[in-house]
Amino acid sequence: MTHYCRILIVDDDPLGLLNYLDLLEDHGYHAVGAPSLAQAWRELSRRDFDLLVSDHDLGDGKGTTLLRRLRDHHR
């Protein structure tokens, strides 16, 4: 069964990111991974997502920084 929602996963741990993507895709979701805040912002600039899941501590900042930037951008 395919679910028509697009999910962005942000995690700087390559194995963790791969596990999340595999799990979601195994359950029929379309998931995109981003290993950094910069890559996540590029993905968000390219397309819309239905759900954003982010690690809190990332190599180039905090997940909350991304959420704040996204909220401010879409006011």
Side-chain angles (χ1 to χ4, degrees):
M1 175 178 194
T2 301
H3 302 282
Y4 295 100
C5 89
R6 189 169 301 180
I7 302 169
L8 177 61
I9 305 293
V10 185
D11 194 338
D12 60 342
D13 173 28
L15 184 57
L17 184 58
L18 184 60
N19 286 336
Y20 285 124
L21 295 174
D22 286 346
L23 177 69
L24 289 166
E25 291 190 6
D26 285 350
H27 284 86
Y29 291 95
H30 177 73
V32 174
S36 67
L37 291 178
Q39 181 64 34
W41 190 250
R42 282 191 292 274
E43 292 295 338
L44 288 164
S45 298
R46 290 183 195 146
R47 62 185 72 108
D48 290 328
F49 289 89
D50 300 298
L51 179 65
L52 168 64
V53 178
S54 178
D55 186 10
H56 183 264
D57 292 313
L58 298 160
D60 60 346
K62 302 280 185 199
T64 53
T65 301
L66 177 64
L67 297 176
R68 216 175 289 114
R69 184 175 178 190
L70 183 61
R71 181 191 65 209
D72 292 345
H73 185 266
H74 288 287
R75 283 191 179 208

